[in-house]
């Protein structure tokens, strides 16, 4: 068995900054309400006059990650693409990135695990590298939320939270020396609880509620094609599941919470991240948050935050890095990395 490691990181966010005050143009809200409840000050929303889409942003982040990995796009053996907001119903974003980057006929797989998408995608890539099936895997998380949010007072509890953006990592095989030194991805732990699927969901359009049916009904009160979130229910479950996933990862590696050098929590809500930070008694320099700038970018959130922390020099050789996420499904998980 091989160990896998991250050899390249990149992220891309659209230029268009939407502040909390900007949102007042569409809905009854306030900067105070949003900051107090979520920690968000602004987010990026795609300007529709630009070329940006979920796949295009994913490709932009991927180019940076591949470049920093010091390899060529032709050295990539497989693509794993995580999103809940693909450009097309089918095919998925993986093949679109493959096309944009003019990559050879390697396999491309899409992962649909919402806010835990990048954790799931990394875990999938890790398994392929561990077995020796692939050497270099491009893992992408990208979301275009802004196109599908209900930007009105009715949709405000959801629409103020979500932002657009993309991140990418190139995973590769550790050398024998690195493996002997205990480096690379140490473990990943994945969970889900489908009985709560409807608590954070977008039900239509889907094969159960197809477009012609929605059009024929012509019902202005129909909100099934906007995301629904039972905020307090999600919040309660998130704090518990985040903690469980981190504890599970630490225990699997015989590590204590004091061993954590950097925690990258999915940027769901600053209050959730602060709760976790307090629970694990981590100092501010051991947790990286950027929700104030980007909001919740779902499958892109963990990888944007990881890339940013790395760019800021907050992650050093041999650091124990913990990634954790929770989201719609419900799904949750963690990845433990010795950098
Ligand atoms: N601006 C102003 N007021 C708003 C608002 C907004 N954007 N959104 C909701 N409100 C109002 C509600 O209408 C409600 O008003 P009322 O008391 O007159 O009925 C009041 O604020 C409280 O709403 P509530 O939904 O109970 O707020 P909350 O304290 O639960 O906070 C969330 C809402 C969404 C911030 C919070 O529940 C949360 O963060 N949940 C977790 C979300 C999450 O992490 N999602 C991603 C998971 S991956």
């Amino acid at each position: 068995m091989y160990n896998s490691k991250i050899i390249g990181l990149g992220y891309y966010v659209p230029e268009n900054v939407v502040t909390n005050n900007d949102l007042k143009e569409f809905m009854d809200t306030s900067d105070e309400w949003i900051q107090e409840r979520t920690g968000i000050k602004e987010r990026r929303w795609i300007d529709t006059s630009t070329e940006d889409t979920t796949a295009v942003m994913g490709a932009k982040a991927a180019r940076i990650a591949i470049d920093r990995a010091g390899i060529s796009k032709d050295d990539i053996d497989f693509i794993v693409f995580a999103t809940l907001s693909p450009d097309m119903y089918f095919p998925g974003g993986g093949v679109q990135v493959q096309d944009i980057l003019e990559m050879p006929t390697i396999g491309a797989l899409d992962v649909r695990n919402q806010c835990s998408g990048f954790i799931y995608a990394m875990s999938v890539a890790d398994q392929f590298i561990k077995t020796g099936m692939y050497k270099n895997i491009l893992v992408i998380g990208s979301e275009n939320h802004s196109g599908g949010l209900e930007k009105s007072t009715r949709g405000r509890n959801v629409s103020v939270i979500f932002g657009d953006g993309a991140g990418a990592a190139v995973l590769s095989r550790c050398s024998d020396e690195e493996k002997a030194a205990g480096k690379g991805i140490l473990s990943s732990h994945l969970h889900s609880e489908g009985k709560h699927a409807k608590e954070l969901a977008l039900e239509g359009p889907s094969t159960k509620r197809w477009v012609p049916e929605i059009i024929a009904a012509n019902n202005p009160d129909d909100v099934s094609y906007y995301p629904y979130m039972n905020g307090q229910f999600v919040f309660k479950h998130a704090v518990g599941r985040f903690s469980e996933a981190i504890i599970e990862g630490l225990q699997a590696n015989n590590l204590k919470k004091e061993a954590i050098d950097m925690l990258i929590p999915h940027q769901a809500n600053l209050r959730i991240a602060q709760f976790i930070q307090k629970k694990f008694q981590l100092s501010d320099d051991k947790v990286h948050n950027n929700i104030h700038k980007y909001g919740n970018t779902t499958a892109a959130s963990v990888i944007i935050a990881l890339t940013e922390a790395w760019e800021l020099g907050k992650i050093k050789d041999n650091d124990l890095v913990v990634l954790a996420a929770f989201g719609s499904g419900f799904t949750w998980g963690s990845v433990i990395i010795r950098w």
Side-chain angles (χ1 to χ4, degrees):
M1 294 271 268
Y2 297 97
N3 270 17
S4 36
K5 62 176 176 179
I6 293 174
I7 61 166
L9 289 166
Y11 78 93
Y12 170 83
V13 288
E15 271 177 32
N16 183 37
V17 176
V18 179
T19 66
N20 292 343
N21 281 327
D22 292 337
L23 294 176
K24 291 203 276 193
E25 211 179 296
F26 320 109
M27 62 188 77
D28 179 12
T29 191
S30 69
D31 182 44
E32 296 71 39
W33 193 97
I34 300 171
Q35 281 209 51
E36 189 189 309
R37 300 290 215 292
T38 69
I40 299 167
K41 294 182 180 170
E42 57 189 44
R43 72 286 293 138
R44 305 297 178 98
W45 279 358
I46 288 174
D47 174 344
T48 49
S49 67
T50 66
E51 60 166 2
D52 284 343
T53 67
T54 297
V56 169
M57 292 191 299
K60 287 178 177 175
R63 270 197 199 101
I64 299 168
I66 293 169
D67 192 43
R68 286 175 171 169
I71 61 172
S72 142
K73 64 182 171 58
D74 298 334
D75 297 321
I76 300 287
D77 302 312
F78 195 64
I79 300 168
V80 189
F81 192 103
T83 189
L84 63 67
S85 52
D87 293 1
M88 295 191 259
Y89 196 84
F90 70 84
V95 295
Q96 289 181 273
V97 167
Q98 176 185 34
D99 178 42
I100 295 168
L101 298 183
E102 298 179 339
M103 297 169 87
T105 56
I106 55 171
L109 172 77
D110 272 47
V111 164
R112 292 194 44 177
N113 283 74
Q114 301 68 249
C115 295
S116 312
F118 201 81
I119 299 288
Y120 270 75
M122 268 189 94
S123 179
V124 168
D126 181 39
Q127 310 314 311
F128 278 128
I129 290 174
K130 272 201 179 102
T131 58
M133 181 154 172
Y134 298 125
K135 189 166 173 221
N136 300 314
I137 301 185
L138 176 61
V139 188
I140 301 171
S142 182
E143 302 287 3
N144 169 0
H145 286 306
S146 59
L149 296 170
E150 186 179 22
K151 299 176 187 116
S152 69
T153 299
R154 187 173 65 177
R156 65 185 176 176
N157 71 315
V158 174
S159 54
V160 301
I161 291 177
F162 293 96
D164 302 336
V170 177
L171 264 63
S172 190
R173 200 182 276 176
C174 282
S175 65
D176 292 345
E177 296 75 36
E178 286 166 335
K179 189 180 175 191
K183 290 196 171 184
I185 295 180
L186 304 185
S187 64
S188 56
H189 303 273
L190 308 176
H191 295 278
S192 56
E193 193 173 27
K195 73 176 176 191
H196 300 313
K198 290 194 172 173
E199 305 298 343
L200 178 48
L202 196 161
E203 290 198 42
S206 65
T207 49
K208 225 177 126 188
R209 193 160 164 63
W210 206 228
V211 179
E213 192 192 325
I214 293 173
I215 293 172
N218 192 21
N219 176 4
D221 298 325
D222 182 3
V223 286
S224 69
Y225 45 90
Y226 290 121
Y228 165 79
M229 179 172 71
N230 183 347
Q232 291 185 10
F233 189 83
V234 172
F235 194 103
K236 252 192 287 172
H237 282 256
V239 289
R241 297 309 193 185
F242 258 109
S243 305
E244 283 174 26
I246 296 168
I247 291 168
E248 184 180 20
L250 291 173
Q251 284 180 347
N253 294 287
N254 291 319
L255 293 165
K256 298 217 171 340
K257 62 181 187 324
E258 292 74 23
I260 299 174
D261 293 303
M262 177 54 67
L263 170 67
I264 308 282
H266 160 54
Q267 300 294 290
N269 181 318
L270 189 61
R271 308 300 157 230
I272 297 175
Q274 286 169 335
F275 178 91
I276 304 300
Q277 175 173 354
K278 206 166 158 201
K279 180 167 175 144
F280 287 87
Q281 296 171 302
L282 300 170
S283 52
D284 288 350
D285 59 325
K286 294 194 170 180
V287 184
H288 187 69
N289 291 308
N290 59 13
I291 191 166
H292 58 288
K293 293 192 289 185
Y294 304 132
N296 179 345
T297 56
T298 306
S301 135
V302 165
I303 182 59
I304 292 176
L306 176 66
T307 305
E308 201 179 63
W310 174 79
E311 285 178 357
L312 292 167
K314 289 181 163 191
I315 300 174
K316 293 172 212 65
D317 186 39
N318 225 34
D319 274 357
L320 190 81
V321 179
V322 177
L323 315 179
F326 172 88
S328 159
F330 292 151
T331 59
W332 64 97
S334 64
V335 171
I336 311 276
I337 307 169
R338 177 67 68 190
W339 207 261

